[in-house]
Amino acid sequence: MPSSPVNPDQIQEQMQALQAAYAEKIGKRVLEIKQSWEQLVQDEWSPENLRTLHRRVHSLAGSGATFGFAYLSTIARTLEILLTSILETGNPPIALQRIQVQALLSSLNQAIQEPEQALPELSALVALHSSPTKSNSSHLIYLVEDEPELARDLALQIGYFGYEVVCFDNSSDLKQAVLQQSPAVILTDIIFSEGYSAGLEMITALGRQLGSNMPPVVFMSVREDLTARLQAVRAGGKAYFTKPVHVPSLLDKLDELTRARPQEAYRVLIVDDESHLAVYYSLILQRMGMVTQVVTDPFDLIAVMAEFNPDLILMDVYMPHCSGLELGAVIRQEPAYVGIPIVFLSTETDLSKQLNVINLGGGDEFLTKPIQPDHLIMAVYARAQRARTLRSLMATDSLTGLLNHTTSKEQLLQELLRAERTQSSLAFAMLDLDHFKGVNDTYGHAVGDRVIKSLSRLLQQRLRRTDTVGRYGGEEFVVILPNTDGDAAYKIMDNIRQRFAQVRQQAEDKKLFATFSCGIAVYPEFPDMDSLMVAADKALYRAKHQGRNQVVLAGKP
């Protein structure tokens, strides 16, 4: 199971326990290395046995310093280099090499003692922005406008998209309201009966009173002069709209200011047969807000990847039965995993060999053991961030930011597998804008694009964070609703349909209202992806055939 971020103090305690467990077993590991060497030179010489010994020494070299045994790690690294030179000849060791190995083994015995240094305090590490970002979940908007009809209309249009709008017609009432409950955004005019710049003066005074607790402010006005715009900036305004206000643009700004969703934690898959070391890396990354999964048997990797869906793979080079290079090459043969960064770990310090490992194993970076925690964090964070950005660009529709056709189907398959595993219901909806060709032909494609963006925004704002919205193509959308039965899905989508039909679209000076039709199918009534999609599509066709602007649930009359 993947490990989620936990309390920093708990992580520090777990790391100290890891160090103690490592210290208990280190004597046994050194003894096993010594016995392997003795058997090798006496009567069991073979390149395969030597490679096994080499891997054991490599593991000790990479993990010793990590858990405080720096001197032990240095000796093991020297022994590893010597064994590598013997391996490269393909012949049994000569007398001098045997003497050198014996001397290093004796030094290993002497180095077995209490840790020479404590593990680093994770609280001292520099925290990167990999943990979920703070977001303002409030939808409360204070609208200050002394023209009642304009205020009601603007509040109505904003309200369709999930905002709670409270209107004020004077500055004194606003000040009292802000002091009692701070809104997500203040949306205010500039010109009031008190003066040509009364709105600016009101916000400036309120800002001085509240200081850092001042909510974001968006100005709107018939004034288009630079003086007004400069004063708005100096008053702390985040945006400035000239009247008549372009509602879609205003909603874009409100979304930006109020609906910044927390970034999902980066997911890191750690592949290392050295379980103590793998867990150690896992704890460090968890401390930075990442979610980790440890794989100690490389033959489990592909199955785990399909379930875990990592942003990055952190993988040791030397593992039994399957090297990191071989495993990296296997991963790169899978088209779905081509873009996932692979960061290799090893004690290898030779640059040419590191580059060769990256090239042969399809890796993106090489980290040399022992790895300082801050180096590990920075390397993983930078690679995971870049990979997620690229994946997002490839997976989303450029106009709406929703999942594209291919990614929507992939997401549906994942949710179906999850629903099957948890024995829960899953609703799948297909939406299609009504008479959309007529919108494009009459008003132009720019207006058509705004209608598409309007629906995409409404879907995102009225659905849960666990739901998935995709642009399936053209004017078609899909919605995936986990843990939702047919009746609940019908109510949700019909509510969105009704709200969308009341949204006034921007079409120059003309009033334009758009509608959509929707078909819904539910798992397990339709037990696989093909039957679910076909059923939803047929239900959508019924909705169109029966007059449009309605929702039809598959299997219901």
Side-chain angles (χ1 to χ4, degrees):
M1 293 291 292
S3 303
S4 300
V6 294
N7 184 283
D9 293 334
Q10 292 178 334
I11 292 180
Q12 194 70 42
E13 291 174 2
Q14 291 177 43
M15 292 181 68
Q16 290 170 351
L18 272 177
Q19 185 181 45
Y22 185 88
E24 283 184 9
K25 295 181 178 180
I26 198 167
K28 181 180 178 182
R29 295 180 64 175
V30 170
L31 179 61
E32 288 175 348
I33 289 173
K34 182 180 179 182
Q35 290 174 342
S36 295
W37 169 254
E38 290 174 350
Q39 292 174 359
L40 188 70
V41 297
Q42 289 174 6
D43 54 8
E44 296 185 23
W45 164 259
S46 75
E48 182 59 35
N49 289 342
L50 182 57
R51 278 192 288 271
T52 300
L53 174 61
H54 177 272
R55 182 178 53 78
R56 288 179 176 174
V57 174
H58 165 84
S59 177
L60 189 64
S63 62
T66 300
F67 292 104
F69 295 88
Y71 180 54
L72 181 79
S73 188
T74 300
I75 297 170
R77 174 58 181 153
T78 304
L79 178 57
E80 180 188 3
I81 294 171
L82 179 56
L83 293 175
T84 300
S85 66
I86 298 173
L87 266 174
E88 290 174 347
T89 65
N91 299 316
I94 60 175
L96 178 59
Q97 290 172 327
R98 294 189 182 192
I99 293 172
Q100 291 171 330
V101 171
Q102 286 295 152
L104 289 170
L105 289 173
S106 298
S107 298
L108 281 180
N109 280 324
Q110 295 173 7
I112 300 173
Q113 52 187 309
E114 291 296 319
E116 303 139 22
Q117 59 187 33
L119 291 173
E121 287 290 334
L122 292 182
S123 58
L125 298 176
V126 178
L128 297 173
H129 301 292
S130 56
S131 56
T133 57
K134 183 181 179 181
S135 66
N136 188 347
S137 59
S138 173
H139 297 161
L140 180 61
I141 307 294
Y142 285 172
L143 171 60
V144 193
E145 173 59 64
D146 58 0
E147 295 184 31
E149 290 186 3
L150 179 60
R152 281 196 299 270
D153 182 70
L154 194 55
L156 187 64
Q157 292 298 314
I158 296 172
Y160 289 140
F161 292 89
Y163 291 105
E164 178 188 354
V165 185
V166 179
C167 296
F168 302 88
D169 59 7
N170 63 83
S171 60
S172 59
D173 288 347
L174 172 70
K175 288 180 182 178
Q176 292 180 11
V178 171
L179 292 175
Q180 291 177 1
Q181 181 181 8
S182 183
V185 173
I186 297 174
L187 176 60
T188 179
D189 199 350
I190 287 178
I191 304 174
F192 292 95
S193 57
E194 297 98 317
Y196 196 58
S197 301
L200 293 165
E201 294 165 2
M202 169 191 67
I203 293 300
T204 300
L206 191 60
R208 282 197 295 265
Q209 185 175 357
L210 296 179
S212 60
N213 294 321
M214 181 69 178
V217 178
V218 174
F219 289 103
M220 56 184 182
S221 178
V222 294
R223 292 183 60 179
E224 299 182 9
D225 56 287
L226 181 60
T227 300
R229 292 177 179 274
L230 283 173
Q231 290 175 330
V233 170
R234 291 166 182 167
K238 301 298 183 183
Y240 190 103
F241 293 91
T242 56
K243 293 182 176 180
V245 175
H246 186 256
V247 175
S249 298
L250 174 60
L251 285 165
D252 283 341
K253 178 53 66 174
L254 294 179
D255 289 349
E256 177 187 328
L257 293 174
T258 67
R259 293 186 60 84
R261 296 189 175 187
Q263 175 181 285
E264 184 183 352
Y266 293 128
R267 304 173 69 82
V268 181
L269 186 60
I270 302 168
V271 188
D272 196 321
D273 64 306
E274 184 75 28
S275 60
H276 282 79
L277 207 52
V279 173
Y280 173 77
Y281 298 146
S282 176
L283 292 173
I284 289 175
L285 297 178
Q286 286 179 47
R287 175 63 180 84
M288 293 298 106
M290 302 184 199
V291 176
T292 61
Q293 173 92 338
V294 170
V295 173
T296 55
D297 185 345
F299 288 93
D300 294 337
L301 178 62
I302 298 300
V304 173
M305 284 184 67
E307 179 73 20
F308 184 62
N309 192 26
D311 292 300
L312 179 141
I313 300 170
L314 193 65
M315 185 158 56
D316 192 18
V317 172
Y318 294 102
M319 292 182 289
H321 313 301
C322 179
S323 72
L325 278 70
E326 295 170 328
L327 205 54
V330 169
I331 292 170
R332 290 298 185 236
Q333 289 175 357
E334 291 291 327
Y337 303 144
V338 168
I340 298 178
I342 300 175
V343 176
F344 284 115
L345 305 171
S346 177
T347 58
E348 182 58 66
T349 57
D350 187 289
L351 180 59
S352 62
K353 292 183 178 179
Q354 291 180 3
L355 293 174
N356 191 49
V357 166
I358 291 174
N359 180 52
L360 295 177
D364 297 88
E365 194 164 345
F366 193 104
L367 298 179
T368 305
K369 296 179 180 180
I371 305 163
Q372 292 298 318
D374 53 347
H375 293 170
L376 175 67
I377 292 164
M378 286 187 288
V380 168
Y381 178 86
R383 287 286 182 184
Q385 182 183 50
R386 192 176 304 119
R388 181 174 287 183
T389 300
L390 291 173
R391 287 169 64 185
S392 176
L393 290 173
M394 292 187 292
T396 56
D397 166 62
S398 59
L399 176 64
T400 63
L402 302 177
L403 296 183
N404 59 27
H405 179 100
T406 301
T407 313
S408 296
K409 292 182 69 174
E410 292 173 353
Q411 187 66 27
L412 176 60
L413 180 58
Q414 287 187 14
E415 293 296 344
L416 276 170
L417 292 173
R418 184 178 289 112
E420 182 180 4
R421 186 173 63 254
T422 59
Q423 295 185 334
S424 57
S425 58
L426 172 74
F428 176 69
M430 298 189 75
L431 294 71
D432 189 83
L433 284 163
D434 297 325
H435 303 296
F436 187 69
K437 184 177 184 299
V439 173
N440 280 333
D441 292 345
T442 304
Y443 301 100
H445 288 277
V447 173
D449 285 350
R450 286 200 292 269
V451 172
I452 288 173
K453 288 183 68 175
S454 175
L455 178 54
S456 71
R457 178 189 289 113
L458 187 63
L459 289 168
Q460 291 178 89
Q461 293 192 341
R462 305 306 299 187
L463 293 170
R464 303 166 299 182
R465 286 189 58 201
T466 53
D467 300 329
T468 299
V469 186
R471 186 182 179 194
Y472 205 60
E475 65 271 26
E476 280 191 299
F477 296 80
V478 294
V479 175
I480 305 168
L481 302 156
N483 300 305
T484 307
D485 61 24
D487 291 338
Y490 180 90
K491 290 177 182 179
I492 292 168
M493 298 311 301
D494 197 53
N495 179 267
I496 294 174
R497 178 194 63 80
Q498 294 176 41
R499 288 179 176 272
F500 183 69
Q502 299 174 66
V503 173
R504 187 181 65 248
Q505 307 295 334
Q506 294 294 130
E508 298 178 350
D509 296 331
K510 300 177 182 179
K511 286 187 177 180
L512 168 64
F513 294 89
T515 62
F516 69 80
S517 301
C518 174
I520 302 173
V522 179
Y523 171 90
E525 182 179 354
F526 300 95
D528 54 56
M529 189 168 77
D530 288 342
S531 63
L532 194 69
M533 294 183 70
V534 169
D537 190 48
K538 288 182 177 179
L540 172 60
Y541 179 80
R542 278 179 55 200
K544 291 281 189 181
H545 186 70
Q546 293 172 185
R548 295 182 171 83
N549 189 23
Q550 58 185 276
V551 178
V552 171
L553 179 60
K556 293 291 180 71

